[in-house]
């Protein structure tokens, strides 16, 4: 239907009438020329504007806008064609060591006026557009029809291949259509000098153009072979038809030799990768010059290479010839110059050679249009025999316009159908406008002094390329490891004022830059600014050169990966699009992930993570709706999480849910996820915002009190239950009989160095055996990789059951520690355990034991006793003397309390047992105490006896003994607890 409407609209256009187009407007300018010039202006303005917007959206790259911008900037500052981007290819740093492109000198005056990349983007748009005018003139000379010439010129401007050349940064190939159209026009007008001028200009674009021009000479010999034979017969070798092909051939061969000699002078030993190694991997050729030989020598490999990406290659060829309805094939002579590039493209495995959106199309399009014009001339001569000439011309013109309007709608970079950041069938087509954060970053970069030494990722580089001291690093997969390693070593020799890293453009390269240039150098470079997803680091000397900028990272729905959900449009959302949960799994207990990503990088610091969300169908839920977490290392390391319950939010109302995040080291591949979603609930995510409160070390938000309840603790062997007597009202409950010991984990929050007291509020039911180990409080750091504290509780430590009680432990952190977890392990299957909350508070270091040890039967030796279960037991008749001794440990200086847990079942007489602490294998007694009948509170009940000890120097081989027991005494030892404080 749209195509029919376009056809109807085009059919009504009166400007297709020859009479209208021939009317003079001013001097030699008629309506036809005026319309072409108008189309050129519209194209130039549109593509100048939208390519600049693309550049401001940080979709341009060091390869190649940054390269050419720095080349021209260095030239206007006295260093001809100098650039820093490819030292691994080109040790001389001269662009002439890569390509011979003196045509760039034409742009130097314009760049000197406004030395910014925008100059190149505008220039490229204008240059490509201007080619439509000589094409119009050439077409009119060949077809004698202004109508058809106008249609051909407009078709050129609408051509997705040409627009693709325009869209991708800047390249000197953009000059080629203008030069080739002008060459052939002047040749048709027999203006030999003008032809030769544009021939030389075309050779100045790239050294490879000389090969194309050699084939152009062959094409001219074939076109004018009758005239050439006539000239030879008449010995008229100065005739244009003879001299032009000959000069074209001679000049091109000379230029090929000269340009390559100049390149070798500046770059004598280029790596094979620069010559095309890998580009023809399927064919087997190591460099471009070997391609023809390998095609004939290895036909089977040639077929495989031709078949590689056949769908892309076929699409590319069809799109190349479609704009002029394949009429180019009717005049194949002028397609001969396109043969070299077509062979290279079709037999390669390098996608840019045969995809839309790359500069290489400029090597092909001019000859398709030139041959197409000649093909149209043949069509006219055939068709007009049957129909009127005017009608035929208008119909052909309409057809060409319709075809190219459709192609533009479908394949133009400006098409509404194009998807930005997609490289599936073209190179990143689609219009984008810079965000507030991006404009803030552009403003920040513009304030960096021109003499500053800067290292950046490749998408930042174009914005700092007007600086001879700007450097960048290629993507880690863009070049072989050997070249990458060379580049790293080269770049590490520089002392940078600023390092600017875009963390999402190329995550692996961003990680490499921070690891190799920031972390590896300790405090040499420290975080300076966070501007959206761009991190800026600076040296101490340059920190105050620019005022730091802190702008939150905002991740929109399309920045995140969606798994058990979908993107939908909602009017009252921030960006018009949200993530909606869509859990299709029939298993309610399955761990659903609604969204994950975006795999960013966060430097050390304190952050507030904000999830803007809305919930439906949660009124009747009495359990967790979803868990929001922050992870790094692609989900393997939990940095923080928060469980969301119905009472925490209001139904059908947007709420901002915050999670404090403190990290002590650089975290890579950071995700902000929605997991463990309840199937019955409908969940919407508007955005995730990461607000840097303070960056750098130390940056923790020290608090006197940390409280972790069901929201910040994740169950393992427990479930959520209501408990009206608890503080939190919702608690974690591990029922009796569970095999999994760990009740919960979390919250993986970072703590600054210091002394801490941890209070677990628990309730225990069931039957407690006093001598059984029932609970273990395990505290770890760095996501369970670093042990901090481990304290076990026996039944003797639990005074009551079925009532809430606080169990306390203390520890000291010598350094800032991330990923702290407070795990509660249930060692007995006979009890049920409720956990209300975990309270962590800072205390003075003097309150925290320097040493805590728990010694049981496994670490002690016995003589006149035996081990029964987990106790050491001296029964009546076991003999007199030593009962236990060991375990021969070392004690540093300090004050100690040694607590023996004993149970006396029977005795005769006053003396029960002697307890002591000795060192040097019992030679020196440090402290001792006799236990007499008066010290026993009750027979058959566990009690503890404490000894106090002050150690002034480091002691070795310390043991804790029980001896001098009477033969008729029944006594048991459960464990020995040792607490030590610094003096």
């Amino acid at each position: 239907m749209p195509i029919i409407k376009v056809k109807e609209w085009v059919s009504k256009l009166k400007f297709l009438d020859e009479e209208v187009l021939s009317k003079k407007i001013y001097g030699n300018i008629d309506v036809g020329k005026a319309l072409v010039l108008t189309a050129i202006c519209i194209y130039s303005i549109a593509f100048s504007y939208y390519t600049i917007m693309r550049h401001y959206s940080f979709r341009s790259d060091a390869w190649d806008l940054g390269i050419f911008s720095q080349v021209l900037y260095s030239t206007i500052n006295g260093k001809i064609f100098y650039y820093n981007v490819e030292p691994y290819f080109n040790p001389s740093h001269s662009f002439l060591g890569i390509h011979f492109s003196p045509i760039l000198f034409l742009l130097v005056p314009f760049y000197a006026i406004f030395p910014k990349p925008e100059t190149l983007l505008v220039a490229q748009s204008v240059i490509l557009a201007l080619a439509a005018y000589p094409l119009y003139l050439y077409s009119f000379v060949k077809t004698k029809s202004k109508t058809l010439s106008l249609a051909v010129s407009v078709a050129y401007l609408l051509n997705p291949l040409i627009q693709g050349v325009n869209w991708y940064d800047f390249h000197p190939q953009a000059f080629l259509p203008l030069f080739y159209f002008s060459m052939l026009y002047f040749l048709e007008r027999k203006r030999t000098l003008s032809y030769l001028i544009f021939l030389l200009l075309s050779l100045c674009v790239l050294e490879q153009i000389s090969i194309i021009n050699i084939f152009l000479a062959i094409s001219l010999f074939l076109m004018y072979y009758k005239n050439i034979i006539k000239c030879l017969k008449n010995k008229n070798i100065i005739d244009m038809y003879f001299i032009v092909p000959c000069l074209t051939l001679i000049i091109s061969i000379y230029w090929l030799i000269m340009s390559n000699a100049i390149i070798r002078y500046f770059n004598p030993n280029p790596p094979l990768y620069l010559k095309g190694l890998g580009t023809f991997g399927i064919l087997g050729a190591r460099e471009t010059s070997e391609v023809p030989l390998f095609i004939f020598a290895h036909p089977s490999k040639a077929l495989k290479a031709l078949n590689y990406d056949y769908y892309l290659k076929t699409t590319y060829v069809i799109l190349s010839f479609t704009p002029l309805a394949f009429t180019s094939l009717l005049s194949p002579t002028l397609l001969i110059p396109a043969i070299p590039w077509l062979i290279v493209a079709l037999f390669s495995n390098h996608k840019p050679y045969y995809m839309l959106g790359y500069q290489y199309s400029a090597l092909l399009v001019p000859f398709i249009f030139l041959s197409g014009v000649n093909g149209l001339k043949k069509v006219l001569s055939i068709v007009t025999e049957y129909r009127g000439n005017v009608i035929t011309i208008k119909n052909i013109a309409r057809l060409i316009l319709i075809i190219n309007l459709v192609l533009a709608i479908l394949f133009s970079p400006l098409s509404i159908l194009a998807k930005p950041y997609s490289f599936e069938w073209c190179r990143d087509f689609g219009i984008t406008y810079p965000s507030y954060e991006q404009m803030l970053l552009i403003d920040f970069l513009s304030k960096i002094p021109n003499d500053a030494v800067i290292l950046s990722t490749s998408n930042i580089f174009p914005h700092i390329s007007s600086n001879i001291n700007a450097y960048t690093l290629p993507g880690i997969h863009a070049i072989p490891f050997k070249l990458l390693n060379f580049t790293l070593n080269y770049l590490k020799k520089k002392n940078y004022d600023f390092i600017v890293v875009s963390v999402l453009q190329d995550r692996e390269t961003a990680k490499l830059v921070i690891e190799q240039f920031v972390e590896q150098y300790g405090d040499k470079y420290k975080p300076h600014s966070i501007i959206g997803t761009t991190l800026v680091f600076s040296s101490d000397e340059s920190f105050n050169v620019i005022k730091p900028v802190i702008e939150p990272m905002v991740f929109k729905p399309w920045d995140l990966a969606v798994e058990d959900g979908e993107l939908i449009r909602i009017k009252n959302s921030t960006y018009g699009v949200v993530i909606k949960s869509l859990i299709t799994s029939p298993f309610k207990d399955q761990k659903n992930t609604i969204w994950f990503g975006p795999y960013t990088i966060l430097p050390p610091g304190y952050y507030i993570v904000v999830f803007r969300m809305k919930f439906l169908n949660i009124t009747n839920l009495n359990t967790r709706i979803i868990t929001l977490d922050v992870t790094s290392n692609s989900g393997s390391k939990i940095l923080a999480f928060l469980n969301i319950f119905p009472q925490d939010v209001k139904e059908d109302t947007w709420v901002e849910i915050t999670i404090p995040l403190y990290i002590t080291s650089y975290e890579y591949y950071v995700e902000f996820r929605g997991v463990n979603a309840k199937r019955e609930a409908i969940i919407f995510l508007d955005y995730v915002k990461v607000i840097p409160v303070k960056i750098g070390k130390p940056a923790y938000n020290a608090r006197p009190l940390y409280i972790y309840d069901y929201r910040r603790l994740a169950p393992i062997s427990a479930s959520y239950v209501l408990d009206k007597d608890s503080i939190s009202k919702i608690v974690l409950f591990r029922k009796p009989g569970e095999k999994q010991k760990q009740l919960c984990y979390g919250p993986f929050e970072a703590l600054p160095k210091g002394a801490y007291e941890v209070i677990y509020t628990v309730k225990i039911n069931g039957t407690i055996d006093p001598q059984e180990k029932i609970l273990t409080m395990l505290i770890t750091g760095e996501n369970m990789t670093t042990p901090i504290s481990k304290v076990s509780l026996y039944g003797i430590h639990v005074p009551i059951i079925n009532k809430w009680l606080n169990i306390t432990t203390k520890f000291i952190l010598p350094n800032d520690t991330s990923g702290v977890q407070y795990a509660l392990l249930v060692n007995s299957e006979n009890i049920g355990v409720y956990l209300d909350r975990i309270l962590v508070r800072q205390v003075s270091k003097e309150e925290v034991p320097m040493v805590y040890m728990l010694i049981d039967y496994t670490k002690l030796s016995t003589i006149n006793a035996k081990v029964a279960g987990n106790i050491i037991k001296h029964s009546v008749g076991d003999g007199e003397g030593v009962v236990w001794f060991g375990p021969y440990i070392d004690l540093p200086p300090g004050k100690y309390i040694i607590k023996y847990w004993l149970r006396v079942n029977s005795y005769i007489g006053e003396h029960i047992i002697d307890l002591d602490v000795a060192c040097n294998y019992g030679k020196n007694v440090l402290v001792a105490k006799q236990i007499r009948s008066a010290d026993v509170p009750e027979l058959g009940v566990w009690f503890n006896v404490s000894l106090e000890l002050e150690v002034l120097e480091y002691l070795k081989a310390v043991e804790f003994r029980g001896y001098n027991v009477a033969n008729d005494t029944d006594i048991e030892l459960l464990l020995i607890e040792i607490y030590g404080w610094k003096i």
Side-chain angles (χ1 to χ4, degrees):
M1 188 66 184
I3 295 176
I4 295 173
K5 288 184 177 180
V6 168
K7 185 176 179 181
E8 291 175 355
W9 177 73
V10 171
S11 67
K12 296 176 182 178
L13 294 178
K14 290 188 177 181
F15 65 69
L16 292 178
D17 293 335
E18 289 285 342
E19 186 178 344
V20 174
L21 295 176
S22 300
K23 289 181 179 179
K24 298 293 183 180
I25 298 177
Y26 179 79
N28 197 35
I29 303 298
D30 55 31
V31 173
K33 290 180 181 179
L35 288 173
V36 172
L37 292 173
T38 302
I40 288 171
C41 291
I42 293 172
Y43 178 99
S44 300
I45 293 170
F47 270 87
S48 294
Y49 175 75
Y50 286 115
T51 52
I52 290 173
M53 290 301 101
R54 178 181 181 272
H55 170 60
Y56 287 169
S57 299
F58 288 84
R59 293 164 64 191
S60 56
D61 203 270
W63 290 267
D64 291 315
L65 181 60
I67 287 177
F68 290 107
S69 177
Q70 192 173 56
V71 163
L72 291 175
Y73 184 82
S74 64
T75 301
I76 65 175
N77 284 278
K79 300 182 77 172
I80 306 300
F81 284 15
Y82 182 89
Y83 77 123
N84 294 321
V85 176
E86 298 169 324
Y88 48 90
F89 280 164
N90 186 14
S92 72
H93 288 257
S94 172
F95 185 71
L96 294 175
I98 299 293
H99 289 299
F100 185 64
S101 299
I103 196 68
L104 295 174
F105 281 112
L106 291 180
L107 297 173
V108 169
F110 302 99
Y111 197 88
I113 296 171
F114 189 75
K116 295 290 181 182
E118 292 91 323
T119 301
L120 297 180
L121 297 176
V122 172
Q124 179 167 256
S125 300
V126 173
I127 291 164
L128 280 168
L130 282 175
Y133 189 72
L135 177 60
Y136 173 83
L137 297 178
Y138 176 79
S139 179
F140 179 70
V141 169
K142 299 298 289 187
T143 64
K144 309 302 180 186
S145 169
K146 295 183 183 294
T147 299
L148 203 55
S149 300
L150 177 61
V152 169
S153 299
V154 172
Y156 165 80
L157 293 174
L158 292 173
N159 190 339
L161 275 73
I162 286 297
Q163 293 183 2
V165 174
N166 205 155
W167 195 246
Y168 174 27
D169 289 8
F170 169 85
H171 298 90
Q173 287 92 330
F175 283 97
L176 292 176
L178 174 62
F179 292 165
Y180 280 123
F181 294 156
S182 299
M183 285 167 60
L184 270 292
Y185 167 69
F186 288 123
L187 187 60
E188 286 296 323
R189 296 296 302 271
K190 299 182 180 181
R191 293 167 61 177
T192 305
L193 181 60
S194 298
Y195 168 87
L196 291 175
I197 290 172
F198 279 97
L199 172 67
L200 290 173
L201 287 172
S202 70
L203 290 169
C204 289
V205 172
L206 281 175
E207 68 281 359
Q208 296 100 327
I209 301 305
S210 54
I211 298 173
I212 292 176
N213 285 352
I214 289 172
F215 278 77
L216 175 62
I218 296 171
S219 178
L220 295 179
F221 277 119
L222 293 174
M223 286 171 59
Y224 303 132
Y225 76 94
K226 291 181 180 179
N227 302 81
I228 292 171
I229 293 172
K230 186 177 179 181
C231 291
L232 291 173
K233 285 182 178 180
N234 298 329
K235 298 181 180 180
N236 184 15
I237 60 173
I238 62 171
D239 187 271
M240 184 202 79
Y241 294 113
F242 180 79
I243 200 169
V244 166
C246 290
L247 285 177
T248 301
L249 181 63
I250 293 168
I251 292 172
S252 299
I253 293 173
Y254 170 78
W255 198 275
L256 178 64
I257 297 170
M258 180 197 68
S259 60
N260 280 281
I262 292 172
I263 291 172
R264 283 195 301 272
Y265 173 79
F266 285 99
N267 192 5
N269 299 300
L272 282 173
Y273 187 82
L274 181 60
K275 297 181 179 181
L277 182 65
T279 302
F280 307 98
I282 297 175
L283 182 63
R286 294 184 303 169
E287 54 184 271
T288 307
S289 60
E290 295 178 351
V291 170
L293 176 64
F294 272 73
I295 291 173
F296 290 104
H298 305 282
S300 60
K301 288 184 177 180
L303 286 174
K304 287 182 181 178
L306 191 62
N307 191 55
Y308 181 81
D309 276 346
Y310 67 90
Y311 55 95
L312 285 175
K313 292 176 180 177
T314 303
T315 302
Y316 185 74
V317 171
I318 291 173
L319 287 176
S320 299
F321 287 91
T322 299
L324 295 186
F326 291 88
T327 53
S328 303
L329 302 177
L330 297 176
S331 183
T333 307
L334 271 177
L335 283 177
I336 290 174
I339 290 175
W341 180 248
L342 274 175
I343 291 174
V344 168
L346 297 180
F347 286 92
S348 77
N349 46 268
H350 186 50
K351 283 184 170 60
Y353 285 178
Y354 47 83
M355 279 180 66
L356 288 178
Y358 291 90
Q359 70 273 24
Y360 306 109
S361 295
L363 303 173
L364 181 64
V365 170
F367 303 106
I368 290 177
F369 270 80
L370 289 169
S371 59
V373 168
N374 286 274
L376 287 171
K377 180 181 178 181
K378 289 185 178 181
V379 170
L380 286 176
S381 63
I382 296 171
V383 178
T384 50
E385 295 180 10
Y386 303 98
R387 303 184 65 179
N389 188 48
V390 175
I391 298 175
T392 301
I393 290 174
K394 291 186 71 172
N395 286 338
I396 293 174
R398 288 168 184 163
L399 176 64
I400 290 173
L401 288 176
I402 291 170
I403 289 173
N404 286 278
L405 283 170
V406 171
L407 288 177
I409 292 170
L410 295 177
F411 301 108
S412 169
L414 307 185
S415 170
I416 59 173
L417 303 177
K419 294 182 179 179
Y421 310 104
S422 172
F423 291 79
E424 186 176 353
W425 60 271
C426 63
R427 192 190 190 281
D428 189 21
F429 281 6
I431 295 172
T432 53
Y433 299 95
S435 64
Y436 168 76
E437 294 85 357
Q438 289 169 333
M439 292 307 297
L440 198 65
L441 176 58
I442 291 170
D443 179 66
F444 177 88
L445 296 173
S446 69
K447 295 176 181 177
I448 297 178
N450 275 353
D451 60 348
V453 184
I454 316 169
L455 174 66
S456 77
T457 47
S458 63
N459 70 322
I460 301 292
F461 185 82
H463 298 268
I464 58 171
S465 56
S466 298
N467 181 339
I468 297 177
N469 298 314
Y471 298 85
T472 190
L473 187 72
I476 63 175
H477 299 300
I479 58 175
F481 176 78
K482 184 178 180 180
L483 295 180
L484 179 64
N485 193 50
F486 173 86
T487 306
L488 287 173
N489 292 331
Y490 168 80
L491 293 174
K492 285 180 180 179
K493 295 176 183 177
K494 309 293 179 182
N495 292 314
Y496 300 103
D497 296 298
F498 294 94
I499 298 174
V500 188
V501 182
S502 175
V503 299
L504 293 185
Q505 182 242 3
D506 183 344
R507 295 166 176 84
E508 292 180 318
T509 303
K511 179 175 182 285
L512 180 69
V513 171
I514 294 174
E515 285 179 335
Q516 296 290 322
F517 295 92
V518 179
E519 285 194 276
Q520 196 174 96
Y521 287 89
D523 296 328
K524 184 176 180 179
Y525 303 108
K526 58 186 179 181
H528 180 280
S529 297
I530 295 181
I531 308 173
T533 56
T534 300
L535 307 180
V536 182
F537 307 89
S538 74
S539 62
D540 285 334
E541 296 80 6
S542 303
F543 191 88
N544 294 319
V545 172
I546 307 174
K547 183 179 179 181
V549 176
I550 303 297
E551 182 66 26
M553 297 182 178
V554 179
F555 302 107
K556 305 170 185 67
W558 51 86
D559 295 325
L560 302 167
V562 182
E563 187 172 315
D564 292 314
E566 60 181 344
L567 291 173
I568 65 167
R569 294 188 177 275
I570 291 186
K571 290 183 179 179
N572 65 347
S573 62
T574 306
Y575 302 102
V577 176
V578 300
I579 296 175
K580 177 189 175 185
S581 62
L582 185 65
I583 303 171
T584 58
S585 170
F587 305 106
K588 291 188 177 183
D589 295 332
Q590 182 173 324
K591 292 185 176 180
N592 302 296
T593 299
I594 309 302
W595 70 84
F596 60 96
Y599 304 105
T600 187
I601 300 174
L602 292 179
Y606 175 60
Y607 304 85
I608 299 294
V609 182
V610 181
F611 295 80
R612 189 170 191 263
M613 304 180 69
K614 184 168 69 172
F615 303 87
L616 298 177
N617 296 350
I618 61 172
T619 305
N620 298 322
L621 292 179
N622 57 2
T623 186
R624 175 180 59 192
I625 305 170
I626 193 173
T627 299
L628 306 176
D629 69 14
V630 183
T631 68
S632 63
N633 297 340
S634 300
S636 63
K637 181 179 179 181
I638 299 176
L639 303 177
F641 69 87
L642 182 67
N643 297 313
I644 307 301
F645 284 75
Q647 55 266 43
D648 300 327
V649 295
K650 187 177 180 181
E651 184 157 353
D652 199 18
T653 301
W654 287 107
V655 294
E656 289 191 345
I657 301 170
T658 61
I659 300 178
L661 176 64
Y662 163 59
I663 53 180
T664 59
S665 61
Y666 287 91
E667 297 292 346
Y668 301 97
Y669 305 119
V670 178
E671 299 180 73
F672 309 93
R673 307 186 304 181
V675 299
N676 302 330
K678 196 67 176 174
R679 192 164 179 262
E680 294 84 354
I682 300 175
I683 303 166
F684 301 91
L685 175 72
D686 191 10
Y687 60 75
V688 178
K689 183 187 294 184
V690 183
I691 304 171
V693 179
K694 186 176 181 183
I695 56 173
K697 297 179 181 179
Y700 55 80
N701 183 34
R703 311 195 299 270
L705 190 67
Y706 302 78
I707 299 175
Y708 307 114
D709 57 12
Y710 62 91
R711 299 175 184 87
R712 300 297 304 277
L713 300 170
I716 294 182
S717 62
S719 57
Y720 298 105
V721 298
L722 299 174
D723 189 301
K724 63 181 180 179
D725 297 326
S726 65
I727 299 171
S728 306
K729 305 307 178 187
I730 296 177
V731 300
L732 297 173
F733 172 59
R734 179 191 183 275
K735 62 184 178 182
E738 288 285 347
K739 300 295 183 183
Q740 168 63 255
K741 288 185 178 182
Q742 190 166 344
L743 186 148
C744 65
Y745 67 89
F748 299 107
E749 188 171 39
L751 287 180
K753 63 182 180 181
Y756 294 90
E757 179 182 59
V758 182
I759 302 172
Y760 293 76
T761 301
V762 300
K763 180 168 65 175
I764 301 173
N765 63 17
T767 304
I768 296 179
D769 183 347
Q771 63 195 45
E772 182 182 17
K773 185 193 294 185
I774 59 172
L775 295 176
T776 299
M777 295 175 286
L778 177 63
I779 303 173
T780 58
E782 308 299 339
N783 282 72
M784 301 180 286
T785 60
T786 304
I788 295 175
S789 172
K790 182 178 180 180
V791 177
S792 296
L793 299 180
Y794 285 73
I796 55 175
H797 294 108
V798 180
I800 56 175
I801 62 172
N802 292 324
K803 293 210 179 271
W804 290 104
L805 63 132
N806 293 328
I807 301 173
T808 302
T809 185
K810 298 177 183 179
F811 64 88
I812 292 177
L813 287 179
N815 300 300
D816 296 349
T817 305
S818 65
V820 179
Q821 176 189 221
Y822 309 93
L824 185 63
L825 310 181
V826 182
N827 302 104
S828 173
E829 296 181 17
N830 301 320
I831 60 173
V833 179
Y834 298 83
L835 175 63
D836 185 2
R837 66 178 188 174
I838 299 173
L839 186 147
V840 183
R841 66 182 184 92
Q842 286 189 298
V843 295
S844 65
K845 291 186 178 180
E846 290 72 22
E847 295 181 53
V848 182
M850 172 187 64
V851 174
Y852 172 77
M853 285 184 286
L854 190 149
I855 300 172
D856 60 10
Y857 73 96
T858 61
K859 300 173 185 176
L860 297 170
S861 301
T862 61
I863 297 180
N864 298 306
K866 57 181 177 293
V867 176
N870 61 344
I871 63 175
I872 295 175
K873 183 177 179 63
H874 177 277
S875 301
V876 176
D878 279 347
E880 300 178 351
V882 176
V883 181
W884 67 82
F885 61 96
Y888 304 108
I889 61 173
D890 296 341
L891 288 182
K895 183 178 180 181
Y896 293 87
I897 295 177
I898 298 93
K899 189 179 292 186
Y900 296 80
W901 284 90
L902 305 171
R903 181 167 65 182
V904 178
N905 298 311
S906 66
Y907 62 90
I908 298 176
E910 290 295 316
H911 182 267
I912 305 295
I913 194 171
D914 290 342
L915 306 175
D916 73 6
V917 181
C919 64
N920 295 330
Y921 299 98
K923 294 177 182 178
N924 302 103
V925 176
L926 303 173
V927 64
K929 183 175 184 178
Q930 287 188 347
I931 305 303
R932 307 182 68 82
S933 60
D935 299 319
V936 179
E938 186 178 349
L939 292 178
V941 175
W942 291 101
F943 66 99
N944 66 77
V945 177
S946 296
L947 303 183
E948 294 187 4
L949 172 65
E950 189 171 303
V951 177
L952 300 178
E953 59 183 19
Y954 201 88
L955 297 179
K956 293 187 176 182
V958 178
E959 58 180 323
F960 308 90
R961 302 185 297 188
Y963 60 96
N964 288 341
V965 68
N967 186 49
D968 53 8
T969 300
D970 187 331
I971 187 171
E972 298 168 338
L973 172 72
L974 178 60
L975 52 90
I976 302 171
E977 291 181 283
I978 302 169
Y979 301 88
W981 292 263
K982 285 186 179 180
I983 299 175

